[in-house]
Amino acid sequence: MKVGAFDLDMDDGEIRFHASSVSPEGRLEDSVIGRLLSVSLILADRYYPAFMAVLFGNQSPEEALLKLEMEEE
């Protein structure tokens, strides 16, 4: 992921998403914020099946992520 990354605690399933962008001249423009938010939501949607498998499908985070990555190949 070029703009951000998930941080997943494999022990307790806590998940965070970190997004970043280069800000020329130290200014954070509205368009940059919009792109970061869009990327964050797109990736959350992509990994939604894995989140649900952990929450409701009795899968470990490792199992859910591996299954999702195998299906995308």
Side-chain angles (χ1 to χ4, degrees), residues 9 22 37 40-41 58-60 73:
D9 186 330
V22 176
L37 182 57
S40 300
L41 293 173
N58 296 324
Q59 288 187 7
S60 71
E73 289 181 356

PDB file of all heavy atoms in Angstrom, residues 9 22 37 40-41 58-60 73:
ATOM      1  N   ASP A   9      -3.144  -6.124  15.396  1.00  0.00           N
ATOM      2  CA  ASP A   9      -2.598  -6.833  16.542  1.00  0.00           C
ATOM      3  C   ASP A   9      -3.104  -8.265  16.471  1.00  0.00           C
ATOM      4  O   ASP A   9      -4.289  -8.521  16.678  1.00  0.00           O
ATOM      5  CB  ASP A   9      -3.056  -6.159  17.836  1.00  0.00           C
ATOM      6  CG  ASP A   9      -2.404  -6.761  19.060  1.00  0.00           C
ATOM      7  OD1 ASP A   9      -2.085  -7.972  19.037  1.00  0.00           O
ATOM      8  OD2 ASP A   9      -2.220  -6.033  20.052  1.00  0.00           O
ATOM      9  N   VAL A  22       2.483  13.271   1.265  1.00  0.00           N
ATOM     10  CA  VAL A  22       3.469  14.349   1.227  1.00  0.00           C
ATOM     11  C   VAL A  22       2.714  15.671   1.143  1.00  0.00           C
ATOM     12  O   VAL A  22       1.790  15.813   0.342  1.00  0.00           O
ATOM     13  CB  VAL A  22       4.415  14.177   0.018  1.00  0.00           C
ATOM     14  CG1 VAL A  22       5.368  15.345  -0.075  1.00  0.00           C
ATOM     15  CG2 VAL A  22       5.160  12.868   0.115  1.00  0.00           C
ATOM     16  N   LEU A  37      -8.867  10.041   2.796  1.00  0.00           N
ATOM     17  CA  LEU A  37     -10.095   9.440   3.300  1.00  0.00           C
ATOM     18  C   LEU A  37     -10.632   8.405   2.313  1.00  0.00           C
ATOM     19  O   LEU A  37     -11.043   7.314   2.701  1.00  0.00           O
ATOM     20  CB  LEU A  37     -11.146  10.517   3.571  1.00  0.00           C
ATOM     21  CG  LEU A  37     -12.468  10.036   4.151  1.00  0.00           C
ATOM     22  CD1 LEU A  37     -12.256   9.294   5.453  1.00  0.00           C
ATOM     23  CD2 LEU A  37     -13.410  11.197   4.348  1.00  0.00           C
ATOM     24  N   SER A  40      -8.574   5.268   2.475  1.00  0.00           N
ATOM     25  CA  SER A  40      -8.867   4.563   3.722  1.00  0.00           C
ATOM     26  C   SER A  40     -10.174   3.781   3.611  1.00  0.00           C
ATOM     27  O   SER A  40     -10.254   2.620   4.024  1.00  0.00           O
ATOM     28  CB  SER A  40      -8.953   5.554   4.883  1.00  0.00           C
ATOM     29  OG  SER A  40      -7.739   6.241   5.041  1.00  0.00           O
ATOM     30  N   LEU A  41     -11.195   4.396   3.047  1.00  0.00           N
ATOM     31  CA  LEU A  41     -12.489   3.727   2.915  1.00  0.00           C
ATOM     32  C   LEU A  41     -12.445   2.586   1.891  1.00  0.00           C
ATOM     33  O   LEU A  41     -13.053   1.532   2.103  1.00  0.00           O
ATOM     34  CB  LEU A  41     -13.567   4.742   2.542  1.00  0.00           C
ATOM     35  CG  LEU A  41     -13.881   5.770   3.635  1.00  0.00           C
ATOM     36  CD1 LEU A  41     -14.836   6.828   3.105  1.00  0.00           C
ATOM     37  CD2 LEU A  41     -14.426   5.108   4.875  1.00  0.00           C
ATOM     38  N   ASN A  58     -15.601 -16.747  13.800  1.00  0.00           N
ATOM     39  CA  ASN A  58     -14.701 -17.552  14.647  1.00  0.00           C
ATOM     40  C   ASN A  58     -13.373 -17.873  13.971  1.00  0.00           C
ATOM     41  O   ASN A  58     -12.813 -18.940  14.180  1.00  0.00           O
ATOM     42  CB  ASN A  58     -15.391 -18.844  15.100  1.00  0.00           C
ATOM     43  CG  ASN A  58     -16.581 -18.578  15.983  1.00  0.00           C
ATOM     44  OD1 ASN A  58     -16.556 -17.640  16.789  1.00  0.00           O
ATOM     45  ND2 ASN A  58     -17.616 -19.364  15.831  1.00  0.00           N
ATOM     46  N   GLN A  59     -12.887 -16.962  13.142  1.00  0.00           N
ATOM     47  CA  GLN A  59     -11.569 -17.136  12.536  1.00  0.00           C
ATOM     48  C   GLN A  59     -10.576 -16.244  13.261  1.00  0.00           C
ATOM     49  O   GLN A  59     -10.925 -15.181  13.761  1.00  0.00           O
ATOM     50  CB  GLN A  59     -11.585 -16.762  11.059  1.00  0.00           C
ATOM     51  CG  GLN A  59     -12.296 -17.740  10.175  1.00  0.00           C
ATOM     52  CD  GLN A  59     -12.132 -17.394   8.699  1.00  0.00           C
ATOM     53  OE1 GLN A  59     -11.389 -16.505   8.326  1.00  0.00           O
ATOM     54  NE2 GLN A  59     -12.848 -18.125   7.860  1.00  0.00           N
ATOM     55  N   SER A  60      -9.344 -16.684  13.286  1.00  0.00           N
ATOM     56  CA  SER A  60      -8.289 -15.834  13.842  1.00  0.00           C
ATOM     57  C   SER A  60      -7.949 -14.764  12.807  1.00  0.00           C
ATOM     58  O   SER A  60      -8.220 -14.939  11.608  1.00  0.00           O
ATOM     59  CB  SER A  60      -7.046 -16.667  14.153  1.00  0.00           C
ATOM     60  OG  SER A  60      -6.417 -17.080  12.953  1.00  0.00           O
ATOM     61  N   GLU A  73      -5.795 -13.777  -5.408  1.00  0.00           N
ATOM     62  CA  GLU A  73      -4.746 -14.167  -6.378  1.00  0.00           C
ATOM     63  C   GLU A  73      -5.336 -14.676  -7.649  1.00  0.00           C
ATOM     64  O   GLU A  73      -6.305 -15.069  -7.954  1.00  0.00           O
ATOM     65  CB  GLU A  73      -3.828 -15.208  -5.771  1.00  0.00           C
ATOM     66  CG  GLU A  73      -2.958 -14.616  -4.700  1.00  0.00           C
ATOM     67  CD  GLU A  73      -2.008 -15.646  -4.105  1.00  0.00           C
ATOM     68  OE1 GLU A  73      -2.070 -16.849  -4.461  1.00  0.00           O
ATOM     69  OE2 GLU A  73      -1.196 -15.264  -3.286  1.00  0.00           O
TER      70      GLU A  73
END
